[in-house]
Amino acid sequence: MKQKYIAEPYRIKMVEPIRETTKEERIELLKNAGYNPFSLKSDDVYIDLLTDSGTGAMSQEQWAAMMIGDEAYAGSRSFYRLEAAVRTIMGYEYFIPVHQGRGAEKVFLPQLVTKPGMFYIANIHFDTTRAHVELAGARAIDCVVPDCYDIEHYHDFKGNMCLSCLEETIIEKGKENIAGLIMTVTNNSAGGQPVSMANIKEVRKIADRFGLKVIIDGARYAENAFFIKERELGYQDKSIKEIVFEMCSYGDAFLMSAKKDGLVNMGGIIAIKNDKELFDKCRTYVVPYEGFPTYGGLNGRDMDALAVGLMEALDERYLRHRIDQVRYLGDRLRDAGVPIQFPVGGHAVFVDCKAFAPHIPFYEFPALAVTNAIYIEAGVRAVEIGSLLLGRDPDTHKNKESKMELMRLTIPRRLYTYNHLDVVADAVIHVYEHRHELKGYTFEYESSILRHFTSTFKPID
Ligand code: PLI
């Protein structure tokens, strides 16, 4: 019998109790957190959909692998096991572990910024990627396909790079001023939307024409491969492993926050296909920033868990359940008329808060208003992905208006059940039914870098 949403392909062997609070308590807790869900204690959250980053559950094989972790400072067996896994999956020659994705960005991205006034072009930079591009003295340009902004309509690959926009931008800025092309797979800020193999291939061709490097931001590489298998002609009979290998073959470097599809709570990867000089530069910089190049801020236990997690993420049954959970939540919301980025992507349901609360202007952060309302309603923590996250223009310091105002309901891997997702859906639907009562927010304190993490707010009456 074919199930619409497959059941958990695992049994639950260890449980962690979660606390419930009352609505009155949550009103007070949110106020004390400066109306910023990042400042809530996780103990005060019933269902935590803030992020899928480092929040998933590890398997028994990963926990077992941790027991053989070798804590040598230099040249540990754990490092070599992880290096072997990275080489098998990506097929790249060089590998450096780092403590998480932004560690990879901090070490790698400045290496291609050789003079002032350079640009990275991406199918959308993730927020820390953008921050590291700017900290390296360059500027970040996003060239995602327009389909991405056609929120309510189905497109197979809304995460794709817009090829004409990419070419025009390279020509306009001058190829000598482009530091590199970044392919974020899946495209997190577009709604966890996948990128097609054909698109990655074309970006490779454009890069070759202009003599540029392609960097794969592969935090969710396995989820992207799952969508390629499901939706792209010619890939139905290929394994996820084969698809990942082909995706990587079009890149020069692979940066990864392993806290996502690495199925670990901490870790990151820099992998470089064959550029020894670039590898040597990264190795030099990783020492002061992250640690010796054979541990890069990780301990042996972390590296062993990651070596196993990278392989487990290629399991198709695991991936099917993972994506089915996201689809289940998306379907429940859509059936109730809640506007979402459709189809749902790989790791989250993105609620379209521009349509949800059109009476709140971008500078009063409609997605924050919805996010705070569902916390108060049910103790569910989500995250704003909109004008608050986008921040200010680094040159004019004006608030930038995001094309989309999204609330991300991010599903951690192997952590929650469909029943938890029902609680989430009921809360969002309830808030949607009372959406006219929602109010916007203004800053009480605004931090200067990645402001969404630490700023505080007050509701506008
Ligand atoms: O959180 P890090 O430093 O391990 O990784 C940074 C990072 C880089 N690229 C992409 C596509 C990400 O999604 C990403 C982190 N994402 C987070 C934290 C998230 O909540 O989506």
Side-chain angles (χ1 to χ4, degrees):
M1 194 182 72
K2 197 164 184 306
Q3 295 162 297
K4 186 165 181 201
Y5 311 100
I6 73 162
E8 284 73 16
Y10 47 81
R11 291 190 291 212
I12 299 167
K13 216 170 189 171
M14 191 188 283
V15 294
E16 176 191 346
I18 44 179
R19 198 168 85 87
E20 272 196 86
T21 46
T22 64
K23 194 166 181 174
E24 289 65 38
E25 284 171 327
R26 291 193 291 273
I27 289 171
E28 206 48 34
L29 288 163
L30 192 61
K31 189 172 162 204
N32 294 339
Y35 296 98
N36 184 343
F38 278 102
S39 298
L40 290 166
K41 290 184 181 160
S42 68
D43 215 23
D44 296 330
V45 174
Y46 179 42
I47 298 174
D48 205 345
L49 304 190
L50 183 75
T51 179
D52 62 328
S53 182
T55 51
M58 291 208 297
S59 68
Q60 57 184 3
E61 283 75 18
Q62 287 178 289
W63 283 107
M66 288 183 83
M67 298 303 289
I68 56 164
D70 166 9
E71 307 303 344
Y73 188 96
S76 69
R77 289 188 296 276
S78 302
F79 167 80
Y80 289 109
R81 283 191 283 264
L82 178 55
E83 185 186 55
V86 170
R87 278 211 182 119
T88 306
I89 294 170
M90 281 124 211
Y92 289 7
E93 178 77 20
Y94 302 113
F95 158 68
I96 305 173
V98 284
H99 85 282
Q100 63 181 95
R102 68 202 69 185
E105 290 161 354
K106 183 176 178 184
V107 169
F108 182 92
L109 295 176
Q111 307 310 331
L112 302 182
V113 181
T114 50
K115 57 180 182 181
M118 293 190 80
F119 301 87
Y120 274 101
I121 307 174
N123 56 339
I124 300 187
H125 294 79
F126 180 66
D127 57 357
T128 59
T129 322
R130 181 181 307 279
H132 278 294
V133 166
E134 289 171 6
L135 287 167
R139 291 290 175 257
I141 300 176
D142 295 332
C143 280
V144 71
V145 285
D147 292 350
C148 167
Y149 302 111
D150 185 16
I151 293 187
E152 68 206 278
H153 295 117
Y154 183 96
H155 297 276
D156 279 335
F157 292 102
K158 286 184 167 183
N160 278 354
M161 182 85 89
C162 171
L163 300 171
S164 55
C165 160
L166 173 63
E167 286 202 64
E168 280 161 25
T169 309
I170 298 171
I171 292 165
E172 186 204 316
K173 302 292 181 196
K175 64 180 181 183
E176 65 288 356
N177 296 319
I178 309 299
L181 312 182
I182 301 176
M183 291 299 276
T184 313
V185 298
T186 56
N187 191 335
N188 186 356
S189 313
Q193 295 293 319
V195 178
S196 72
M197 192 72 88
N199 191 253
I200 304 175
K201 221 181 202 168
E202 285 305 314
V203 169
R204 171 78 269 164
K205 280 193 199 153
I206 293 172
D208 285 343
R209 194 135 44 82
F210 291 102
L212 301 172
K213 286 208 186 294
V214 175
I215 300 126
I216 297 176
D217 176 346
R220 299 177 180 86
Y221 71 102
E223 290 166 8
N224 199 77
F226 181 86
F227 284 115
I228 288 177
K229 181 168 170 116
E230 195 178 62
R231 296 180 186 169
E232 195 165 350
L233 207 64
Y235 289 92
Q236 282 64 49
D237 296 329
K238 292 216 179 334
S239 68
I240 299 293
K241 190 161 176 258
E242 286 170 320
I243 296 172
V244 167
F245 199 82
E246 184 181 340
M247 274 163 50
C248 291
S249 74
Y250 302 123
D252 296 293
F254 186 96
L255 308 185
M256 181 183 186
S257 167
K259 300 168 73 173
K260 285 81 169 173
D261 279 356
L263 301 180
V264 288
N265 304 117
M266 191 52 73
I269 287 172
I270 298 175
I272 295 171
K273 192 190 261 168
N274 51 23
D275 186 336
K276 171 86 167 61
E277 200 184 324
L278 182 57
F279 170 63
D280 285 340
K281 280 188 192 158
C282 291
R283 237 161 51 122
T284 306
Y285 275 86
V286 85
V287 176
Y289 287 148
E290 297 282 300
F292 191 75
T294 60
Y295 75 84
L298 297 178
N299 52 50
R301 298 188 291 281
D302 292 332
M303 289 192 279
D304 268 304
L306 177 53
V308 175
L310 285 172
M311 294 293 183
E312 282 183 2
L314 302 175
D315 181 281
E316 208 176 316
R317 214 157 141 254
Y318 150 74
L319 281 169
R320 167 81 202 279
H321 169 260
R322 161 95 183 121
I323 309 284
D324 270 3
Q325 279 207 327
V326 184
R327 280 185 187 140
Y328 176 78
L329 179 57
D331 288 349
R332 276 225 46 205
L333 296 182
R334 251 171 78 86
D335 289 349
V338 177
I340 62 167
Q341 171 67 293
F342 179 73
V344 293
H347 65 298
V349 176
F350 287 68
V351 177
D352 174 8
C353 296
K354 230 182 214 180
F356 197 117
H359 58 288
I360 303 179
F362 80 92
Y363 49 84
E364 292 178 8
F365 312 127
L368 180 69
V370 180
T371 301
N372 282 346
I374 64 158
Y375 174 71
I376 290 174
E377 185 54 34
V380 173
R381 175 157 65 173
V383 67
E384 192 264 10
I385 309 266
S387 297
L388 170 60
L389 179 141
L390 193 60
R392 293 182 185 271
D393 184 292
D395 300 314
T396 65
H397 297 285
K398 281 205 171 121
N399 260 324
K400 289 193 277 188
E401 178 173 2
S402 176
K403 284 200 180 134
M404 298 185 284
E405 301 292 346
L406 303 169
M407 171 180 72
R408 188 181 72 173
L409 298 159
T410 336
I411 303 183
R413 293 167 183 78
R414 308 189 286 206
L415 200 76
Y416 291 120
T417 64
Y418 289 98
N419 289 336
H420 291 112
L421 300 179
D422 277 331
V423 175
V424 176
D426 290 346
V428 177
I429 292 164
H430 178 89
V431 170
Y432 186 64
E433 283 162 357
H434 296 81
R435 60 194 178 277
H436 306 295
E437 297 162 22
L438 290 169
K439 297 204 167 114
Y441 284 86
T442 182
F443 284 108
E444 194 173 65
Y445 157 75
E446 183 178 353
S447 47
S448 56
I449 298 181
L450 294 172
R451 63 184 184 175
H452 51 293
F453 288 124
T454 48
S455 295
T456 56
F457 304 89
K458 49 184 186 218
I460 297 170
D461 283 323

